[in-house]
Amino acid sequence: MNQLKIRLKLLLCLICLTAGCSGMKPEDKATKLKVFYYDKQSFYEIYGKLFTAQNPHVEIEVVSLDDYYKKGFSMEGYRELVKKEQPDLIFNFDLQSFVEDGMLVDLEPLLKKSKDVNLERMNKNMTAYLRNKGGGRLYGLSPTFQSKALFYNKTLFDQFGIRYPTDHMSWEEVFQLAARFAKAERNNGSAYGYYHNISHPFRLVQNIAETEGLSSTDTAGEKIMINAPSWRRIMDMVISRTKEGTVYINQPGDMQKGNLLIENPFIQGRAAMTVEYSYELEYLSNVDFEWGIATEPVNPAAPDRSTSLTPNNLFGIYSGSKNIDGAWQLLEYIHSEKFAKLNSRAGSNGSLPAYIDSMQKKDNNMEAFYKLYPQDAYTPSVPYEFSTEFYEQVQQSMTGVIEGELELDNVLMELNKIGQFKLDQALKNQSR
């Protein structure tokens, strides 16, 4: 934190030297902007202090959303808050529905005049995604996004004489590559082919199913589909790879050993691959092995799509704003190339800068985070009480299969029956 404050002070000094800190210009009128964000302190640390250093005539009021999120903030609740607070900039909203309801300002005319926002140098896949959500127009921008990638231990691959992973591999191909480590003669059980930082194998099953666009229910969210051939194939793959030692998943006692983001088989050099968000970059800075990055595993039917890539700091101008020019001035600054270079923190909290040129770490194929287009898959909503209870039942049954006590086919048939009964009950309770 102290280093961050020192860095911020140096940046402020640099801005003062290059842009001048002599106060307001004659044409600058005092103005006030109201902004939605997680919390006031975070907004000022990341955006506000740098912006107001160059624009001392602008006062920013931050409406903190954290307290609302903690109470279970719904999108309808968000809309009510917008109407109540009448902000100028809104943050992390449902882009498509807000556009459809006319709650956002079209940014295209403003972007055409801008000399500071360079869409050509931004992540084109993310920009295309935002335009698609806006019906072909840009109504929102995000200075950062989050995405996963396949991290691999080059040193381990070289020691075992196994080829490196490549972009656009499927989960099945990743596990086939990982199996070569488990089957290698020189492996005495000290190295795993793949590590997944989760608490149960079913979580990995869910990740793979999401990649392949599968849901545990039909599109209406009324019929359980877990006994479908596609789900059986994925569960069988994860179970067999776990039993043979190809895949390592956190064991019950691992949590007591320390921080699993740092003390896990991949960071310790005992696993060849892992799929993780970009915050993994922070923990790889002190490892004693060479590493590389490829795109996260993809669906072979849609090899250019990512299930994890999403804007994580989405800003838009509220159509009811009384100060659209001032709101655009702040939005433009947050998404400018200059700000991206000053505030470049690759991998910080799992975020990546929209401008790929501002990445600080360029020697490990950072492009892997930028190659895929967001997968816009529809996931049916089901009652929370059902999903919690049912998925716990699935985990218990899957454990029984891994330990050899149960047969997968019997388990899936039984789960389908139990799941349908519980879902019907939950839907009935929800409608009361």
Side-chain angles (χ1 to χ4, degrees):
M1 184 58 72
N2 289 334
Q3 289 183 340
L4 179 62
K5 289 181 178 178
I6 293 171
R7 186 165 176 257
L8 183 59
K9 289 178 181 178
L10 291 173
L11 289 175
L12 290 172
C13 291
L14 176 62
I15 291 170
C16 289
L17 290 172
T18 57
C21 286
S22 56
M24 291 190 295
K25 300 173 186 176
E27 66 271 21
D28 289 335
K29 295 180 181 179
T31 185
K32 185 174 182 178
L33 294 173
K34 184 180 283 190
V35 179
F36 278 12
Y37 198 68
Y38 293 121
D39 62 82
K40 182 176 180 179
Q41 182 178 351
S42 297
F43 181 84
Y44 273 95
E45 287 292 337
I46 300 171
Y47 309 109
K49 287 183 181 179
L50 294 175
F51 176 77
T52 53
Q54 296 184 70
N55 302 277
H57 62 288
V58 180
E59 179 186 349
I60 301 176
E61 177 188 350
V62 178
V63 176
S64 299
L65 299 177
D66 262 1
D67 289 338
Y68 295 97
Y69 287 137
K70 291 173 184 176
K71 295 174 183 177
F73 206 25
S74 67
M75 194 48 62
E76 191 54 43
Y78 190 105
R79 289 169 180 272
E80 291 301 317
L81 188 65
V82 170
K83 293 175 184 177
K84 175 187 173 184
E85 294 287 347
Q86 293 291 302
D88 300 294
L89 277 188
I90 56 176
F91 175 75
N92 277 6
F93 44 90
D94 185 337
L95 178 57
Q96 185 169 330
S97 67
F98 272 47
V99 170
E100 292 171 351
D101 293 344
M103 296 180 67
L104 296 165
V105 171
D106 184 353
L107 302 180
E108 296 284 356
L110 300 168
L111 286 164
K112 286 180 180 178
K113 299 176 184 177
S114 178
K115 295 180 181 179
D116 295 322
V117 181
N118 190 339
L119 294 179
E120 292 300 313
R121 299 175 76 88
M122 281 187 173
N123 183 344
K124 291 181 174 57
N125 290 329
M126 182 56 64
T127 304
Y129 172 77
L130 294 174
R131 272 209 176 96
N132 181 53
K133 290 287 187 180
R137 310 281 290 183
L138 278 174
Y139 286 86
L141 290 172
S142 178
T144 61
F145 67 97
Q146 64 179 17
S147 179
K148 289 181 179 179
L150 177 67
F151 293 84
Y152 59 93
N153 184 326
K154 286 184 174 181
T155 303
L156 214 51
F157 271 88
D158 291 341
Q159 288 176 355
F160 280 79
I162 299 173
R163 63 176 178 83
Y164 296 155
T166 56
D167 292 333
H168 308 289
M169 294 178 73
S170 68
W171 278 103
E172 188 170 357
E173 289 172 328
V174 169
F175 289 159
Q176 287 173 352
L177 194 58
R180 296 185 59 185
F181 287 88
K183 296 174 182 177
E185 289 185 11
R186 61 172 298 170
N187 190 353
N188 57 4
S190 61
Y192 299 97
Y194 180 82
Y195 165 71
H196 208 69
N197 190 6
I198 49 172
S199 58
H200 193 277
F202 183 61
R203 299 296 182 187
L204 177 54
V205 169
Q206 289 178 298
N207 290 161
I208 299 172
E210 184 182 11
T211 299
E212 297 192 9
L214 301 177
S215 170
S216 58
T217 69
D218 62 358
T219 54
E222 298 174 350
K223 184 179 179 182
I224 292 293
M225 305 293 291
I226 203 163
N227 194 29
S230 51
W231 276 93
R232 190 203 183 283
R233 173 180 54 81
I234 295 172
M235 292 190 80
D236 182 57
M237 177 171 63
V238 171
I239 289 169
S240 60
R241 296 305 188 188
T242 301
K243 289 174 71 173
E244 72 186 19
T246 292
V247 173
Y248 184 87
I249 288 164
N250 293 330
Q251 301 301 304
D254 288 345
M255 289 292 292
Q256 282 70 50
K257 297 178 182 177
N259 184 352
L260 287 177
L261 292 174
I262 302 172
E263 298 181 27
N264 66 62
F266 184 75
I267 295 297
Q268 293 171 342
R270 297 187 293 110
M273 295 177 286
T274 191
V275 171
E276 196 52 271
Y277 281 103
S278 54
Y279 57 66
E280 188 81 355
L281 297 169
E282 297 181 31
Y283 305 112
L284 286 169
S285 58
N286 296 317
V287 297
D288 58 1
F289 57 83
E290 290 189 46
W291 52 274
I293 309 175
T295 61
E296 65 180 294
V298 299
N299 181 354
D304 63 338
R305 301 282 166 157
S306 162
T307 54
S308 68
L309 197 153
T310 181
N312 61 345
N313 281 290
L314 182 64
F315 287 95
I317 301 176
Y318 176 45
S319 58
S321 169
K322 301 294 191 294
N323 189 2
I324 290 177
D325 289 341
W328 168 246
Q329 186 181 12
L330 175 56
L331 188 67
E332 181 182 40
Y333 179 74
I334 289 173
H335 296 87
S336 66
E337 282 192 280
K338 178 171 67 174
F339 177 77
K341 290 174 182 176
L342 288 174
N343 200 46
S344 174
R345 292 182 294 173
S348 177
N349 298 318
S351 293
L352 294 156
Y355 289 99
I356 189 170
D357 290 345
S358 66
M359 290 288 290
Q360 292 178 337
K361 303 180 178 76
K362 296 183 178 180
D363 55 341
N364 287 92
N365 188 27
M366 292 296 114
E367 290 83 0
F369 290 107
Y370 294 77
K371 286 183 177 179
L372 302 180
Y373 183 85
Q375 177 174 297
D376 193 16
Y378 172 72
T379 303
S381 61
V382 294
Y384 177 76
E385 61 178 282
F386 159 75
S387 59
T388 304
E389 190 176 343
F390 179 60
Y391 292 149
E392 185 176 332
Q393 176 70 52
V394 176
Q395 289 182 20
Q396 292 175 358
S397 299
M398 193 171 172
T399 298
V401 177
I402 292 172
E403 294 177 352
E405 298 173 358
L406 300 171
E407 291 291 333
L408 180 58
D409 289 332
N410 295 334
V411 161
L412 291 175
M413 286 191 289
E414 187 65 20
L415 285 172
N416 224 67
K417 292 177 183 177
I418 294 173
Q420 192 62 58
F421 176 75
K422 291 181 180 295
L423 179 59
D424 290 341
Q425 279 192 321
L427 291 171
K428 190 180 294 184
N429 293 337
Q430 192 178 59
S431 63
R432 287 175 182 172

